[in-house]
Structure formats: C-alpha cells, structure tokens
Amino acid sequence: MLAALEEPVRAAALSPDDPSVIAVARHHRLTPLLSITCGATLPAPLAEMFRRDRLVTGARNLLFSQVAEEVLSELTTAGVPTIILKGLDYETRLYGGAAARPTADIDLLVPSPKRRAAFAVLDRLGFEPRAAAPGFDDADYHEVAWTRAGIEIDLHMGLAPLARCRIDYGAIWREAETRRLGAAETRALARPHAAVFQALHMAIDHFDVPAIYLVDLVRLLPTADDAAAALTVARSWRCRRPLETALALIAVFLPGAAPIAPTDQRPSHATRRVTVSYGPTDELPRAEQLLRKLLHFDSPSDAVWYVAIQSRRNLREVFERRFRRRTARERLALVK
C-alpha cells in the first residue's frame, strides 16, 4: 500500500478478494489517501470501498473543523493563544485539502499558564473533562481530554510529559506559523518542531502507530536539509532517538520518499528493534511496548525520572478510583 502511494500503478496488485487488504488499509488510515492517489489503478471493488471511506473522512473532518473553529474563536476571545496540532493542521498543510487525512480528535496546544482559562472556555462550551490518563489533574500534566457529543478535544499544555524531554516552549511559540481555520485565528508548529513532535508522539505510543504517521513525516520533511534541521532540534530537546527511529521507518517502508538526512551513527538497538517488527495490525505485547518506550529516551537518567513520576501518578490513580472516586470535573476543581 505504501509502495502504491509512491507508484500508483502498483495499486493494481492489491487483491480485492483478500479481506486483510481492507483491514490493514483501514487500520493504518490509508484508505482515503489511496482513493485520491490510486483511484484509477485500484481494482474496482477496492476503489469503491476506499472512495466511501474518503467521503466519510471528509464529513467527519468537516465536523471536527467546525467544532475546532468554534473553540478557537472562544479561546482567542478569552485571551488564550492556540496552536492547532496534527490531524486538522496536516489535512490542509500537508495534503492540500479535505478528506485525505483522517483524524480522530482535535488537538490544541495552549500555554501552560493559560491552563485554567482554557478549561473555563471548554466548560462554558459544554465540554466535559475525561480521566484519560493517570495524573491528568496534576498542575504539570501535559494534556487533558474533553468531550462533547462524541467529539473529543485533547487540550495540550505541553507536547509531551515534562519529564520526557526538554522541549523549548519559548521557541515553539516564537516560531509558530500563523494559520486560520475558517474564521478563527490560530497557529501551527514550525515544520521542524512539528516533525519532532510527530516522532515523539510515535515513541510515546511505542511506535505501534498507523502508517499514515510515516506519510505525515515525509511531507513535513520533504528534503534532506529539512530532516537535518529537525534532527538538530531533536538533539537539543533530548528526544533524538524517537526521530532517528521514525526516519529509519521511512527509509524501510517509503524508500522512494524524499531524501532523509543520515544520522551520525549506526542505527541503535532501539531503532533496529522497531524497524524489524513494525507489523500490519498485530497488537504489541505489553512487555514490548514498555521496552520500546524506555529504549527511546536519550539518556538513562531521563528514563528513570520519567518512570518515577509515572509510577507515582499510577499509584495515585489507583487510590483515586478505589477510595476517593471523584469525577474528572471534581478532580479538576470545576464548579458546575
């Protein structure tokens, strides 16, 4: 499938009689893009099914865009700066239009000091917080999930757990690019920052991620110079290993993509472990998930510090659920 995105004529080799083709394509969120890129060369049954997926994706993304526009406008009115992340940003910036890039939620970044102001806006708009992860109610936690009528917003105060790496948020906000979503004003991450965030997000999910993430990264870093700039940022932020592994995955699965800057050393054990076992749909065993996560810290001290903080949060979460049993709203000190 990835080869077909590089050479659409190869889509003709996909078998419409093999149920795994559709399962793998949907798992990796590739059906809309395959429809657009390879529609003329796909076997007719696949072309029709992928076309339907593209229509559904377009309708869902339109709904997400409308909700995002509403939220962004209200946040701006409340004096809360925003950066739109991932799916809705990529749809227009990387894919040039609607329905090519599926997204499951709305990801927004706000400055950490504006955390409570952003909560108030979402609360006023009828969104409810969700206890999506241990420690979500800690003042230094990096994101809080909110839902309304089946639409989820991941409100980020950071791009990753603060103990995970050393992201320069001053640079993030200084270098962010001005964007509009409908009538709403917002920003988008500078491309090197977006690429590092993309790779870091993949590592946090132990690289058990849809292949569309690789396509995103190729389009964020179209030249070797772009990749080299992103690696420089990743080193300074102490998250070099995630980006190196992400670039190695591109080299394996999208070899005809734009040139990727070589790293200054042979692939690490962490990188080799991922590239040789990146599977179509199989779920990774929990032990492998944890090992991949730990191997993708730039230093042992960062890994130890992260594990210590997350362990404390996990223990506190057990206590909250078994004994205190407060709602997510109560834990965030939101008064109805």
Side-chain angles (χ1 to χ4, degrees):
M1 293 173 195
L2 291 171
L5 292 177
E6 295 185 318
E7 299 179 61
V9 67
R10 299 179 70 173
L14 295 172
S15 172
D17 300 320
D18 183 353
S20 68
V21 170
I22 295 171
V24 170
R26 286 177 170 165
H27 174 80
H28 286 282
R29 303 185 193 174
L30 294 173
T31 53
L33 188 58
L34 284 166
S35 176
I36 293 170
T37 305
C38 311
T41 53
L42 282 165
L46 291 179
E48 177 59 20
M49 191 158 296
F50 291 178
R51 184 188 69 85
R52 292 178 185 177
D53 284 1
R54 177 165 54 90
L55 293 175
V56 171
T57 295
R60 284 177 55 81
N61 286 3
L62 178 60
L63 177 59
F64 283 128
S65 294
Q66 290 172 342
V67 174
E69 181 180 352
E70 173 194 10
V71 172
L72 289 167
S73 295
E74 291 298 318
L75 288 168
T76 298
T77 300
V80 180
T82 58
I83 291 176
I84 191 162
L85 303 169
K86 296 192 294 186
L88 288 182
D89 170 37
Y90 294 167
E91 182 179 45
T92 53
R93 180 158 54 149
L94 303 184
Y95 294 90
R101 205 288 186 185
T103 187
D105 52 23
I106 300 166
D107 289 274
L108 302 176
L109 176 69
V110 301
S112 185
K114 295 288 186 177
R115 171 188 175 95
R116 298 301 305 185
F119 288 179
V121 168
L122 291 174
D123 189 21
R124 186 171 67 251
L125 292 175
F127 287 87
E128 286 292 326
R130 185 167 63 85
F136 78 98
D137 52 334
D138 286 345
D140 62 347
Y141 199 69
H142 68 290
E143 65 178 323
V144 176
W146 295 73
T147 60
R148 186 187 74 183
I151 300 293
E152 180 159 309
I153 291 180
D154 276 347
L155 187 72
H156 297 254
M157 282 60 67
L159 299 181
L162 297 183
R164 177 65 180 76
C165 47
R166 300 294 181 270
I167 295 172
D168 184 348
Y169 286 100
I172 289 284
W173 287 98
R174 283 194 310 272
E175 298 176 30
E177 302 171 6
T178 301
R179 286 286 308 278
R180 294 190 71 85
L181 190 67
E185 294 183 359
T186 185
R187 297 174 180 83
L189 293 174
R191 280 182 181 254
H193 298 165
V196 175
F197 172 50
Q198 181 84 353
L200 188 54
H201 180 61
M202 292 167 71
I204 289 171
D205 288 336
H206 30 265
F207 290 95
D208 187 17
V209 296
I212 192 68
Y213 287 20
L214 301 181
V215 183
D216 295 338
L217 195 56
V218 165
R219 296 184 179 213
L220 282 167
L221 303 175
T223 71
D225 287 344
D226 294 324
L231 281 166
T232 298
V233 171
R235 289 188 187 97
S236 69
W237 290 358
R238 289 166 64 171
C239 49
R240 167 185 53 83
R241 283 190 176 180
L243 184 57
E244 287 181 347
T245 294
L247 294 178
L249 282 171
I250 289 173
V252 171
F253 289 97
L254 288 162
I260 298 299
T263 60
D264 56 5
Q265 57 186 12
R266 295 177 60 188
S268 66
H269 171 64
T271 293
R272 293 195 303 272
R273 192 173 190 95
V274 173
T275 55
V276 300
S277 60
Y278 184 73
T281 58
D282 296 339
E283 185 173 347
L284 283 177
R286 184 59 178 161
E288 178 66 17
Q289 292 178 0
L290 294 173
L291 184 59
R292 285 189 183 189
K293 190 184 292 282
L294 292 174
L295 286 173
H296 280 89
F297 283 82
D298 277 15
S299 73
S301 60
D302 286 345
V304 169
W305 181 236
Y306 175 82
V307 168
I309 290 176
Q310 290 302 112
S311 297
R312 174 186 62 78
R313 285 177 171 155
N314 287 331
L315 288 172
R316 178 170 169 262
E317 191 69 20
V318 170
F319 179 77
E320 280 283 354
R321 294 186 178 185
R322 290 189 179 180
F323 300 105
R324 303 195 72 181
R325 299 182 181 178
R326 295 183 298 168
T327 66
R329 173 175 289 277
E330 290 169 336
R331 290 174 64 176
L332 291 173
L334 297 170
V335 179
K336 194 67 176 177

